[in-house]
Amino acid sequence: MRKRIRIIFFAAVAAVLAYPSYLYLYYGVPYGGKVYSPNQAFYYQKYKLFSCANLIPTMATPGQGSDKLYYVNGYVRVYSANGMLVGETPASGVPMAEVHWAGDAVVVMDGHSDGIIALPGKSW
C-alpha cells in the first residue's frame, strides 16, 4: 500500500512539473519588457523559445561575442492596450530583432526575414 501511494505521489509531482515545462518549451518566455506604441493603444512583447543549443557554453573570438544572439529563435506578439492579441510573427534573432511602429502596422526586422503585423487602428 505504501509503495502505491509513493508511486501516485511521484506521478502527481511529475504531472505538476510537466505542465510549466511544456509551456516554457512550446510557448517560450518573455524577452524584455512591453513596448507601447506612441499613442499607447498597442504594445509588443518579444518571446524567446527554448533551444538545446543555448545550453552549450561557447567561447567567441574578440569582437564576436554577440553573434550568438542572432540564433535565439522566438517571435514577436502585438497586443491591444487591453491585452487582446492582435498578431504575431516569428523572429530568428529575438535579442537583435528591431521592431518599428509604422502607422497601421508593426514591422519586425530580424536579419533573416522580415515580418509585418497589421494593426486594426493607428499606432500614433
Side-chain angles (χ1 to χ4, degrees), residues 4 12-13 34 47 67 85 107:
R4 176 174 266 176
V13 168
K34 298 175 182 177
Y47 292 86
D67 287 355
L85 179 65
V107 180

Side-chain angles (χ1 to χ4, degrees), residues 9-83:
F9 174 74
F10 284 120
V13 168
V16 167
L17 293 177
Y19 185 69
S21 300
Y22 167 76
L23 292 178
Y24 175 71
L25 294 174
Y26 188 75
Y27 291 110
V29 294
Y31 184 86
K34 298 175 182 177
V35 179
Y36 283 87
S37 63
N39 67 357
Q40 304 292 312
F42 305 98
Y43 68 89
Y44 71 82
Q45 175 75 54
K46 294 180 182 180
Y47 292 86
K48 70 176 186 171
L49 297 173
F50 174 78
S51 172
C52 291
N54 293 339
L55 298 176
I56 301 170
T58 58
M59 180 174 275
T61 57
Q64 308 223 331
S66 65
D67 287 355
K68 182 178 162 180
L69 297 177
Y70 286 101
Y71 302 106
V72 177
N73 292 323
Y75 54 92
V76 176
R77 281 187 168 173
V78 176
Y79 297 91
S80 62
N82 62 2

